[in-house]
Amino acid sequence: MKIKNVLLIVPSTDKSWKKDLKNKIGTAPLGVASLSSMLKFHGYQVKIVDMLVECCTPKELLRVLNEFKPDIIGISATYTESILVTYKIVKYIKKIMDIIIIAGGVHVTFRPKEALDNGFDYVVLHEGEATIIELLEYLKVNLEPKNVPGIAYRDKDNKIIVNENREFINNLDSLPFPDLLSLKLSEYMTPLAIVTSRGCPGDCIYCSSRAMSGKKYRIRSAESVFSEVFYLSKQILFDDSLLRSYLAIYDDTFTVNRKRLKLFCKYMISSKMNVIPWKCESRIDVLDEECIALMKKAGCFAIHVGVESANQHIIDSLNKHIRFENVEKALSLLHKYGIQPLCSFIIGNHMDTKETLQKTLEYIKHIIVDYNARVAISPNTPLPGTELYENASKYNIIIHSDNWEDYSLMKVILSTHYLKREDIRNIYVEFSEKINSLEAGT
């Protein structure tokens, strides 16, 4: 079959949730943009449609299909809360044209049979850049891709086949920069964003990062990271809507490799690129005064850390492997150097009680007042691929909903040994109101 035009679609949820999902994600779809770059590098024509910011009605989608005339379609199926809308999109497209549709992303990596049962022809598991290129080569010559690692599909007998996993990409510097310029960047809350590493050595029970990207922490070089920042900075000059933007570095732990961090910061300072404000993600246990001071000089204005609870035994039960006393030290240092702490907490951990949550609330009040921290909270939401979801009974939690649209990190879907579902819902509302009041200064 001829494959030249590849349409990549990022689904939204229904209209009532679209704004909330856009605000939570806030940035361009970096995974899809990375696939676009790889496909273009191999000679394909690519169009990205991000339904969070464009084309959300069947009529508009039909127009795109008629104008672009794709030979194959790829759909990002990462977010659990939007997966049902994703399946509706697949069924709609299948009704109006005979075309192969490929899924990729976190949710379908852990639920490939579900994706195939809902109309997808192939599922790309875990990382997609190398897999999608090899899969398309097989499809061009009408070969069954039984030797393509990292995919799931139905064979000619309608049997579901899940091939062996593909090895993760070790040399991330070999990948082209994500194709952000094909997106309507001005439509995103955080239009300028990069990812500089993959994999996670941690084993937090609420996170699927390790299961999705492997336990080996793989990093791009400081030179590669700086080059992408430099490239993006030049695009700002040609788009007035991006002039007030900041750069977001969305690694789970950008600061874990101190040598790379220091080198990147030195490049930013020596090139005077530190006029571009940037924020990143970190862990409490890999922040010290030397690095914080250097990051401030390099243009860093905010660092996000996951605290999750103000109780050490709760933190330990999550396999987070940090000491709570180090949270206070790190936040104090960030405040000292004028870097805003961005802290996240989980409400309704499996070991939480009303008393432990009250202690967490008091600590949240303290860091907002004394350290000018911005705080994000979410109800405990076990997502597919996490230890907490896959082994819920082990942690004495009951998941009350099997409707994927409820897995939005804003709805309470579980009860624990210590807290009823209604208890968690009421506490979540109370926390939200008090945090909003404190941050507003009222």
Side-chain angles (χ1 to χ4, degrees), residues 165-310:
N165 285 331
R166 181 179 294 272
E167 291 186 7
F168 291 113
I169 300 168
N170 277 318
N171 182 12
L172 298 181
D173 284 2
S174 67
L175 296 175
F177 297 155
D179 182 24
L180 292 180
L181 299 187
S182 290
L183 296 159
K184 298 178 179 179
L185 290 181
S186 60
E187 296 293 322
Y188 299 94
M189 290 180 62
T190 310
L192 304 176
I194 61 174
V195 172
T196 77
S197 67
R198 296 180 183 179
C200 181
D203 56 352
C204 300
I205 65 172
Y206 56 85
C207 179
S208 63
S209 180
R210 178 173 179 168
M212 180 67 185
S213 301
K215 65 182 181 179
K216 181 181 178 181
Y217 184 62
R218 297 163 287 138
I219 62 173
R220 293 166 56 189
S221 66
E223 291 77 15
S224 172
V225 177
F226 176 74
S227 295
E228 185 173 5
V229 175
F230 183 83
Y231 169 74
L232 289 176
S233 73
K234 296 308 175 185
Q235 310 314 311
I236 297 175
L237 301 177
F238 300 104
D239 190 336
D240 291 342
S241 65
L242 302 180
L243 284 174
R244 294 186 181 88
S245 300
Y246 61 84
L247 174 72
I249 302 174
Y250 279 119
D251 301 40
D252 291 331
T253 47
F254 178 64
T255 62
V256 71
N257 187 301
R258 289 168 55 87
K259 180 179 179 181
R260 183 185 73 143
L261 174 66
K262 289 180 179 180
L263 194 54
F264 169 76
C265 288
K266 289 175 181 176
Y267 287 150
M268 293 291 285
I269 294 167
S270 63
S271 65
K272 299 189 176 0
M273 292 278 290
N274 54 349
V275 296
I276 299 174
W278 54 278
K279 69 174 186 178
C280 68
E281 315 259 329
S282 183
R283 280 176 56 98
I284 288 297
D285 54 355
V286 288
L287 284 174
D288 60 34
E289 187 162 10
E290 180 187 8
C291 287
I292 289 170
L294 185 61
M295 291 169 74
K296 177 63 178 179
K297 289 180 182 178
C300 181
F301 73 92
I303 297 178
H304 171 264
V305 291
V307 182
E308 319 314 350
S309 173

Side-chain angles (χ1 to χ4, degrees), residues 55-94:
C55 181
C56 57
T57 69
K59 183 177 179 180
E60 290 166 327
L61 179 56
L62 179 60
R63 177 184 56 80
V64 171
L65 294 172
N66 288 334
E67 291 179 357
F68 185 64
K69 294 180 173 55
D71 301 305
I72 209 153
I73 295 175
I75 300 183
S76 173
T78 283
Y79 297 103
T80 296
E81 67 187 279
S82 63
I83 196 65
L84 298 183
V85 172
T86 302
Y87 296 150
K88 290 178 183 177
I89 293 168
V90 173
K91 290 170 185 175
Y92 171 75
I93 294 173
K94 290 286 190 178

Side-chain angles (χ1 to χ4, degrees), residues 347-348 379 398-403 406-407 411-428:
I347 309 304
I398 299 173
I399 300 174
H400 296 283
S401 176
D402 58 4
N403 180 356
D406 291 338
Y407 288 64
K411 296 182 180 180
V412 176
I413 62 169
L414 60 73
S415 57
T416 72
H417 180 70
Y418 303 100
L419 295 168
K420 298 177 183 177
R421 186 181 186 184
E422 191 65 24
D423 293 332
I424 300 172
R425 184 182 291 115
N426 291 337
I427 293 169
Y428 174 63

Side-chain angles (χ1 to χ4, degrees), residues 350 380 382 388-389 392-393 395-399 414-417:
H350 68 287
N380 190 6
L388 196 59
Y389 181 88
S393 61
Y395 299 96
N396 291 315
I397 66 169
I398 299 173
I399 300 174
L414 60 73
S415 57
T416 72
H417 180 70

